[in-house]
């Protein structure tokens, strides 16, 4: 059977195009090669990065960690649409969504979580077979309480607002405070109607109001009422984080990001050596963010924010040495 | 043959530029990133909804280092912790202020004295609404619809503040701020009982919502006043008053909200018959009062840096005081014949006419109704962080209806324009330039009151202030244009019915009307004030220290002195005064302990500047002139102050003690000294707070300082309190 000229011509064209495609692919592979191998060294550990969705943040995190770990690790971004690598290589999860997403796909996936709260990590940590490392984003409440004390040295009583469910957040703190000459009380509010009356009662008890990272109470909807009522009573709010300091909270401790990245890098190195992440924990170093405008308006003489952080560190250090 | 396009050619051609760019990026990308790492602000990292900025510049109060003058701020919690039982007693904590009583336990609060009966020279505001009653230049502290539980704070601007508050803010301004309707406590109940028949019962109910925040309060206040008079009789000077108030705010949108407040006071203020001037009541001339107010304020924010409010307030004070008096029947003949009563002793003897009863009985009244309508608009523009402009206008109409004081109705109109510029060219300097232009129908004249202040600020925590201010006080309508006379009603016995409806005026009493000043026009009073003050706040290792020292010199000119009596009227711009001194206010907050101290030294020199007062022989009566000058100093004391301590105790108990002292009121050369002690137990439950407290007031000196009958029968006074909130 003889092929028609048209069909022959088409086949010829297809054949030549196929060859051209092969060359093109080879060229691409050659061109991509240096990029793919850039920064790699022999024996480097693969780490996949589950991003937060905020590109600028993700790049910043990767860059900070690369600076700490050097060429020992290959940090490869993981597309949110793709499945996890089948080899259970460790994943660096940035933020709560990435962290949850990874563990929902595979609860046994080794994950190092960054910018996540302790409460979220605890949820997954309890599941069997979990291999979780984490650098907590939230600040230990005892540190926040002492931040308030460093600003108001005369303070002895701390008031806290919580829902019935979130009151547990403050439980460990209540036991810790006595050693620092402070006492505290949790005031429970479970409905919107109870919020302000309970806050009023809390403010009449406490020298200041201490906030944990508790979204049930401290959220964009409630914060206006809480801050305005406390301000009218000349009482200050400490915590829960930097965003709320911008809103009008007087101060909050926070871990500087390079410190969190350094700790994450240490966890990766530990994983490389032992095959396991160290237990999740808080960063070792903190700084303090203050709202100078609010302090001035309330006639509160504010120490330098580095001095506040140093004072808190000193108190905690003395306490640890004392207990040893 | 037409060449068919390849099914692949077009897509690949389309992909090529992308592939090239991505390839190039892959090759050069890492290097480029290393050269110029993108900046990233980690403080903004948040995976939750953005948090709105709440305490913005517009919502923040001015720090004390930037305030143009000395201001004392008394927190509501301090008032309650010290066990203060009456609103007026709070002002004993303010340096330079004295509190005492005139008449039948009528509280008088002054700053630097210059008040011998009425409280003429201070502006008082409650939530921006004028509480000082300009028509009679006086205050009625006992009937103020301000429950102590609802006080958020009291700000007392010491020194003339007419530039901001108008012509009544002559010596100082009291600004009472009640708790915001959004800060309602759900349900609150409070009961207190104590010595001298003290009973106070208070309840409030409120709620907050997305749109409306509201609070309703009810209060009953009862008090017996002073103890036993010199004559051995009980002083009839107590009160039994009921109050209801409503506070609410409707949030219309992010930019606008509307506040609405209303309230009513109702009850009886007892008056002792012996404190009623020259008249002789045969029954208690008690005052039945019924006051009400309506206040609305519309707040609108054009932007974060530009906002304004419009406020309208209507207030009505009604006093009904009707009582029967007795007079010798000789009065009847004198009145009918046109003989001034004090022209002949016979007027005060029983009538010689055969058959005439020995005495005349009649009812008189001192009723009045004082209505006020106020409108104010104020605009604030923050041009930049260093420059703030405030401007506004106000209008006020006062209407006083009284048969006795005006023989009808008197209207008084005031309009004003005010402005202030606050400029901080550098962080260490804040300049304030403000002024108030005001016109009043009382004198048919207009006045300008300026104020200039410069605050030199060190480290954001200390300030040295220099303040210059001028202010005026215009006479009130009763001082300026009275038509004073008592109308006789229900005259008995029938023999004297001819006097039914007779209006008894000064002409019927005083044979020497030329020696009075009734009918003469009064001018405005003037003050020029200089202040140098220092404010500092210090954080110590375990404490915060606040210290404010105010040095002042005031020149008061054309002061209105003299007396207001139906028999005698000697009001005139006849006095001048120079005063200087210093005041200290300090607070030290230790862990669980707060110490507070205030002290004031006042050197006041008052002299007579009016027309010479002549004695019977036509010589200048220097003694009388001196007495008139001294009237102005009746409540001026050289030294005064307070000390207070509040301490948290274990088991959520709290103790406080306060010592109040005012040295030698000139009237009787006696000093006020009292020590208060309070012990309370607080209960903080999961759904409620409660408190039980015992307060003891110990009067170190029981001798009266002002009124000779103002006796405290027992050194120690006891009070118990119980409160619950849920």
């Amino acid at each position: 059977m003889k092929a028609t000229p048209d069909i022959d011509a088409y086949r010829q064209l297809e054949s030549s195009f196929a060859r051209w495609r092969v060359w093109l692919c080879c060229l691409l592979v050659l061109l991509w090669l240096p990029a793919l191998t850039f920064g790699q060294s022999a024996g480097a550990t693969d780490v996949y990065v589950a991003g937060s969705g905020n590109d600028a943040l993700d790049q910043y995190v990767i860059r900070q960690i690369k600076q700490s770990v050097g060429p020992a690790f290959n940090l490869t971004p993981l597309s949110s649409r793709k499945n996890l690598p089948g080899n259970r290589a460790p994943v660096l999860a940035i933020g709560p969504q990435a962290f949850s997403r990874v563990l929902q796909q595979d609860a046994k996936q080794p994950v190092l979580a960054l910018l996540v709260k302790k409460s979220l990590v605890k949820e997954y940590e309890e599941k069997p077979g979990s291999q979780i490392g984490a650098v907590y984003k939230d600040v230990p409440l005892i540190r926040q309480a002492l931040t308030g004390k460093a600003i108001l040295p005369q303070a002895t009583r701390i008031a806290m607002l919580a829902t019935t469910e979130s009151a547990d957040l403050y439980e460990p703190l209540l036991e810790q405070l006595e050693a620092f000459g402070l006492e505290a009380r949790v005031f429970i509010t479970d409905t919107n109607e109870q919020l302000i009356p309970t806050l009023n009662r809390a403010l009449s008890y406490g020298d200041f109001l201490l906030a944990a990272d508790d979204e049930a109470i401290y959220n964009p909807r409630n914060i206006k009422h809480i801050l305005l009522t406390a301000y009218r009573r000349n009482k200050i709010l400490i915590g829960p984080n930097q965003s709320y300091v911008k809103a009008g909270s007087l101060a909050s401790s926070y871990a500087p990001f390079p410190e969190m990245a350094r700790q994450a890098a240490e966890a990766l190195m530990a994983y490389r050596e032992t095959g396991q992440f160290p237990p999740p924990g808080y960063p070792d170093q903190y700084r303090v963010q203050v709202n100078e405008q609010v302090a001035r308006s309330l006639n509160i003489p504010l120490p330098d924010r580095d001095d506040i952080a140093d004072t808190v560190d000193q108190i905690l250090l003395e306490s640890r040495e004392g207990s040893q | 043959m037409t060449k068919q396009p390849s099914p692949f050619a077009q897509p690949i051609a389309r992909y090529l530029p992308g592939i090239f760019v991505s390839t190039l990026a892959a090759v050069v990308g890492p290097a480029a990133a290393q050269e110029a790492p993108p900046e990233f602000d980690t403080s903004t990292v948040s995976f939750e909804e953005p948090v709105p900025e709440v305490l913005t510049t517009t919502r923040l109060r001015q720090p004390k280092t930037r305030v143009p003058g000395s201001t004392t701020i008394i927190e509501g919690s301090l008032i309650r912790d010290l066990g203060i039982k009456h609103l007026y007693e709070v002002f004993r904590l303010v340096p330079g202020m004295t509190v005492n009583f005139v008449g039948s336990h009528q509280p008088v609060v002054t700053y630097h004295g210059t008040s011998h009966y009425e409280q003429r020279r201070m502006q008082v505001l409650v939530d921006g609404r004028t509480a000082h009653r300009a028509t009679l230049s006086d205050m009625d502290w006992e009937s103020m619809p301000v429950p102590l539980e609802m006080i958020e704070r009291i700000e007392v601007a010491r020194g003339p503040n007419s530039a901001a508050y108008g012509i009544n803010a002559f010596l100082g301004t009291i600004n009472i701020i009640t708790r915001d309707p959004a800060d309602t406590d759900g349900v609150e109940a409070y009961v207190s009982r104590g010595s001298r028949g003290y009973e106070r019962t208070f309840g409030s109910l409120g709620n907050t919502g997305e749109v409306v925040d509201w609070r309703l309060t009810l209060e009953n206040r009862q008090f017996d006043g002073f103890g036993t008079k010199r004559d051995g009789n009980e002083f009839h000077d107590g009160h039994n008053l009921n109050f209801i108030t409503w506070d609410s705010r409707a949030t219309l949108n992010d930019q606008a909200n509307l506040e609405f407040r209303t309230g009513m006071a109702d009850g009886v203020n007892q008056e002792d018959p012996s404190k009623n001037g020259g008249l002789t009541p045969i029954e208690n001339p008690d005052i039945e009062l019924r006051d009400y107010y309506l206040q609305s304020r519309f707040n609108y924010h054009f932007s974060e840096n530009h906002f304004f409010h419009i406020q309208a307030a209507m207030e009505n004070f009604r006093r009904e005081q009707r009582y029967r008096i007795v007079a010798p029947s000789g009065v009847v003949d004198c009145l009918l014949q046109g003989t001034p009563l004090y022209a002949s002793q016979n007027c005060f003897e029983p009538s010689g006419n055969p058959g005439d009863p020995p005495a005349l009985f009649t009812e008189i009244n001192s009723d009045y109704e004082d209505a006020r309508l106020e409108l104010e608009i104020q605009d604030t523009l923050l041009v930049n962080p260093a420059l703030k402009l405030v401007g506004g206008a106000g209008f006020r109409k006062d209407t006083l209806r009284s048969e006795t004081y005006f023989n009808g109705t008197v209207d008084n109109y005031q309009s004003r324009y005010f402005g202030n510029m606050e400029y901080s060219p550098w962080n260490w300097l804040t300049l304030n330039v403000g002024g108030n232009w005001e016109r009043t129908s009382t004198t048919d004249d207009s006045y300008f009151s300026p104020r200039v202040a410069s605050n030199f600020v060190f480290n954001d925590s200390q300030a040295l202030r220099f303040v210059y201010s001028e202010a005026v006080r215009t006479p009130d309508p009763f001082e300026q244009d009275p038509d004073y006379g008592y109308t006789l009603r229900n005259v008995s016995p029938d023999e004297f019915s001819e006097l039914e409806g007779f209006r008894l005026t000064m002409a019927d009493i005083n044979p020497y009307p030329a020696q009075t000043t009734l009918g003469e026009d009064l001018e405005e009073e003037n003050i020029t004030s200089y202040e140098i003050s220092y404010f500092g706040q210090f954080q110590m290792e375990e404490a915060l220290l606040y210290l404010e020292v105010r040095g002042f010199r005031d020149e008061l000119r054309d002061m209105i002195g003299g007396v207001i009596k139906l028999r005698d009227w000697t009001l005139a711009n006849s006095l001048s005064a120079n005063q200087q001194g210093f005041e200290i206010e300090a607070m030290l907050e230790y862990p669980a302990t707060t110490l507070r101290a205030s002290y004031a030294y006042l050197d006041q020199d008052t002299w007579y500047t009016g027309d010479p007062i002549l004695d019977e022989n036509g010589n200048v009566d220097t003694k009388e002139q001196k007495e008139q000058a001294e009237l102005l100093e009746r409540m001026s004391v050289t030294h005064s102050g307070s000390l207070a301590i509040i301490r948290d105790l274990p088991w959520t108990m709290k103790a406080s003690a306060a010592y109040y002292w005012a040295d030698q009121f000139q009237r009787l050369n006696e000093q006020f000294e009292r020590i208060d002690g309070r012990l309370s137990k607080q209960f903080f439950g999961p759904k409620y707070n409660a408190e039980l407290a015992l307060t003891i007031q110990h009067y170190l000196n029981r001798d009266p300082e002002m009124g000779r009958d103002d006796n405290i029968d027992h050194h120690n006074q006891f009070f118990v309190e119980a409160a619950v909130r849920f």
Side-chain angles (χ1 to χ4, degrees), chain B residues 482-558:
Chain B
D483 189 345
Y484 194 6
Y486 288 96
T487 305
L488 310 184
R489 291 211 168 80
N490 296 323
V491 177
S492 65
D494 291 342
E495 286 84 345
F496 304 135
S497 60
E498 206 175 337
L499 282 178
E500 183 70 29
F502 186 92
R503 192 159 191 273
L504 184 74
T505 63
M506 181 185 283
D508 301 308
I509 299 174
N510 191 332
Y512 312 106
Q515 290 182 6
T516 71
T517 58
L518 194 68
E520 290 179 13
D521 271 354
L522 295 169
E523 300 296 325
E524 78 281 4
E525 300 177 341
N526 294 283
I527 182 171
T528 303
S529 175
Y530 307 87
E531 169 183 324
I532 298 176
S533 58
Y534 166 82
F535 172 75
Q537 49 193 17
F538 307 92
Q539 193 186 52
M540 300 154 79
E541 194 174 338
E542 274 209 315
L544 282 184
L545 170 68
Y546 298 92
L547 176 67
E548 187 163 69
V549 182
R550 175 176 195 252
F552 61 91
R553 177 178 166 77
D554 298 339
E555 293 163 3
L556 300 92
R557 299 290 179 265
D558 303 321

Side-chain angles (χ1 to χ4, degrees), chain A residues 47-51 58 61-62 74-79 90-94:
Chain A
V47 175
Y48 292 91
V49 180
D58 294 346
V61 171
I62 292 168
N74 300 323
L75 296 179
T76 309
L78 195 65
S79 163
V91 174
L92 176 70
I94 304 172

Side-chain angles (χ1 to χ4, degrees), chain A residues 11-241:
Chain A
R11 278 184 182 157
Q12 246 181 350
L13 182 68
E14 194 181 33
S15 162
S16 69
F17 182 72
R19 280 198 300 277
W20 189 77
R21 256 199 308 180
V22 169
W23 280 111
L24 189 66
C25 287
C26 290
L27 177 67
L28 279 175
V29 167
L30 281 171
L31 280 169
W32 268 100
L33 205 56
L36 291 173
T37 57
F38 184 86
Q40 279 192 12
S41 60
T45 305
D46 285 328
V47 175
Y48 292 91
V49 180
S52 65
N54 178 338
D55 287 343
L57 170 65
D58 294 346
Q59 283 178 27
Y60 179 79
V61 171
I62 292 168
R63 198 165 56 251
Q64 287 284 327
I65 289 179
K66 271 185 177 171
Q67 275 176 7
S68 298
V69 297
F73 291 88
N74 300 323
L75 296 179
T76 309
L78 195 65
S79 163
S80 59
R81 289 184 296 278
K82 281 187 183 168
N83 287 331
L84 294 171
N87 58 2
R88 286 224 171 121
V91 174
L92 176 70
I94 304 172
Q97 285 177 351
F99 176 67
S100 301
R101 195 172 62 236
V102 169
L103 289 179
Q104 277 159 12
Q105 285 185 40
D106 181 356
K108 293 179 181 174
Q109 177 73 39
V111 179
L112 177 63
L114 262 182
L115 297 173
V116 291
K117 289 185 207 170
K118 182 180 180 180
S119 54
L120 182 68
V121 174
K122 288 284 169 204
E123 267 180 46
Y124 286 96
E125 218 180 12
E126 289 161 5
K127 293 183 180 171
S130 65
Q131 297 184 64
I132 299 174
V135 183
Y136 298 139
K137 174 192 162 204
D138 40 350
V139 184
L141 279 173
I142 186 65
R143 181 173 284 278
Q144 291 284 48
L146 293 174
T147 304
K149 174 77 177 171
I151 291 167
L152 293 182
Q154 78 278 22
T156 54
R157 283 178 176 179
I158 302 172
M160 292 162 301
L161 278 182
T163 61
T164 307
E165 286 183 358
S166 66
D168 290 349
L169 278 173
Y170 296 100
E171 276 302 317
L173 176 71
L174 296 175
E175 292 163 11
Q176 291 171 303
L177 283 174
E178 197 183 343
F180 300 95
L182 292 164
E183 53 182 309
R185 201 172 282 267
V186 182
F187 293 80
I188 303 293
T189 169
D190 284 321
T191 63
N192 282 343
E193 288 73 34
Q194 288 175 347
L195 179 68
I196 297 302
T198 309
L199 175 62
N200 275 324
R201 294 196 297 110
L203 294 173
S204 65
Y205 168 82
D207 296 313
F208 64 87
L209 186 69
L210 178 68
D213 236 330
D214 173 11
E215 284 159 39
I217 300 286
Y218 299 98
N219 56 50
R221 200 181 67 251
N222 285 350
I223 194 62
K224 181 179 169 188
H225 303 296
I226 292 172
L227 283 173
L228 286 177
T229 297
Y231 180 73
R232 284 191 284 257
R233 287 285 168 91
N234 268 358
K235 292 284 170 77
I236 62 168
L237 174 69
I238 298 291
N241 57 48

Side-chain angles (χ1 to χ4, degrees), chain A residues 6 9-10 13-14 17 20-21 24 28 31-32 34-35 38 52 54 56-57 59-60 63 94-97 114-117 137 149-157 164 183 185-190 192-194 196-198 200-202 204-205 207 213 215 219-221 223-225 227-234 241-244 246-249 254 256-258 289 291-303, chain B residues 1 3-9 12 16 19 22-23 26-27 30-31 33-34 37-57 59-66 73 75 80 152-153 179-180 182-186 207-210 213 249 251 254 427 460-461 535 537-546 589-593 648-649 651-654 682 684-689 725-726:
Chain A
D6 275 359
Y10 178 75
L13 182 68
E14 194 181 33
F17 182 72
W20 189 77
R21 256 199 308 180
L24 189 66
L28 279 175
L31 280 169
W32 268 100
F38 184 86
S52 65
N54 178 338
L57 170 65
Q59 283 178 27
Y60 179 79
R63 198 165 56 251
I94 304 172
Q97 285 177 351
L114 262 182
L115 297 173
V116 291
K117 289 185 207 170
K137 174 192 162 204
K149 174 77 177 171
I151 291 167
L152 293 182
Q154 78 278 22
T156 54
R157 283 178 176 179
T164 307
E183 53 182 309
R185 201 172 282 267
V186 182
F187 293 80
I188 303 293
T189 169
D190 284 321
N192 282 343
E193 288 73 34
Q194 288 175 347
I196 297 302
T198 309
N200 275 324
R201 294 196 297 110
S204 65
Y205 168 82
D207 296 313
D213 236 330
E215 284 159 39
N219 56 50
R221 200 181 67 251
I223 194 62
K224 181 179 169 188
H225 303 296
L227 283 173
L228 286 177
T229 297
Y231 180 73
R232 284 191 284 257
R233 287 285 168 91
N234 268 358
N241 57 48
Q242 288 166 283
S243 303
Y244 285 84
K246 285 189 175 172
S249 167
Y254 70 96
F257 204 86
Q289 174 110 338
N291 191 323
E292 290 178 0
Q293 214 178 11
V294 172
R296 269 199 298 272
S297 174
L298 289 170
N299 301 306
I300 294 171
L302 208 54
Chain B
M1 185 186 84
K3 191 178 177 182
Q4 294 294 317
S6 159
F8 301 107
I12 281 185
L16 272 175
I19 290 168
S22 66
T23 302
V27 172
Q34 277 179 344
E39 290 300 320
F40 189 77
D41 180 6
T42 52
S43 70
T44 60
V45 172
S46 175
F47 301 107
E48 289 96 33
E49 216 179 315
V51 183
E53 199 177 341
V54 180
L55 297 183
T56 53
T57 321
R59 286 197 170 108
L60 292 175
R61 295 187 290 273
Q62 208 176 23
K64 282 195 84 169
T65 49
R66 310 275 168 186
I73 297 172
E75 299 292 337
R80 293 182 281 275
E152 187 71 67
R153 66 182 185 284
R179 268 164 50 185
D180 193 276
D183 295 343
T184 187
D185 266 329
N207 203 357
T208 54
E210 287 297 315
D213 304 317
R249 180 193 293 113
T251 304
D254 286 347
N427 192 43
D460 266 337
S461 58
F535 172 75
Q537 49 193 17
F538 307 92
Q539 193 186 52
M540 300 154 79
E541 194 174 338
E542 274 209 315
L544 282 184
L545 170 68
Y546 298 92
E589 294 182 32
Y590 273 110
T593 306
D648 289 331
L649 301 174
W651 304 297
T652 60
M653 293 183 74
K654 191 177 262 192
Q682 296 168 307
F684 296 97
K687 299 284 182 187
Y688 70 91
N689 284 17
R725 288 190 274 164
F726 53 89

Side-chain angles (χ1 to χ4, degrees), chain B residues 60-259:
Chain B
L60 292 175
R61 295 187 290 273
Q62 208 176 23
K64 282 195 84 169
T65 49
R66 310 275 168 186
V67 172
S70 299
T71 307
T72 296
I73 297 172
I74 309 282
E75 299 292 337
S77 54
L78 179 70
I79 296 169
R80 293 182 281 275
D81 285 343
L82 292 179
I84 290 172
K85 299 292 164 197
H86 305 276
L87 176 59
Y88 48 83
E89 294 196 312
V90 171
F91 301 103
R92 290 199 173 105
L93 293 165
V94 180
M97 278 196 154
T98 50
V99 179
N100 222 303
F101 302 88
V102 295
S104 297
H105 199 275
Q106 186 182 328
V108 177
V109 176
T110 77
Y111 181 58
H112 294 164
T114 76
S115 174
H116 70 279
Y117 205 96
E118 292 84 6
Q119 300 153 78
R120 290 171 172 156
R121 301 183 178 93
M122 211 160 49
Q123 173 65 299
V124 183
L125 301 155
V126 178
D127 295 320
R129 181 180 74 246
T130 306
H132 186 262
R133 295 165 53 203
T135 38
L136 291 174
S137 285
D138 209 356
M139 282 296 301
D140 189 344
W141 290 99
E142 288 179 334
S143 68
M144 279 183 71
V146 180
L148 290 174
E149 287 69 27
M150 287 298 108
I151 295 175
E152 187 71 67
R153 66 182 185 284
I154 298 177
E155 297 176 350
V156 182
R158 293 179 279 140
N161 214 347
S162 290
Y165 293 105
I167 53 179
N168 276 315
F170 191 75
L171 287 170
T173 307
I174 293 173
N175 204 349
I176 299 169
I177 295 141
T178 65
R179 268 164 50 185
D180 193 276
D183 295 343
T184 187
D185 266 329
V187 177
E188 181 170 353
Y190 171 93
V191 181
S192 180
R193 299 286 183 268
S195 300
R196 294 198 271 160
Y198 181 86
E199 290 187 17
R200 208 159 65 77
T201 310
F202 167 80
S204 90
L205 180 68
N207 203 357
T208 54
E210 287 297 315
V211 178
V212 178
D213 304 317
W214 62 270
R215 181 180 57 238
L216 177 74
T217 74
L218 296 165
E219 189 187 19
N220 173 263
R221 292 181 210 154
Q222 296 181 41
F223 189 48
D224 288 346
F226 288 114
T228 311
K229 292 189 292 184
R230 281 169 297 168
D231 60 12
N233 292 320
E234 187 68 20
F235 204 154
H236 184 74
D237 60 347
H239 60 252
N240 183 352
L241 303 169
N242 298 302
F243 302 87
I244 180 168
T245 68
W246 168 272
D247 294 88
S248 60
R249 180 193 293 113
T251 304
L252 306 176
N253 54 45
D254 286 347
Q255 292 168 301
N257 66 64
L258 185 67
E259 296 171 24

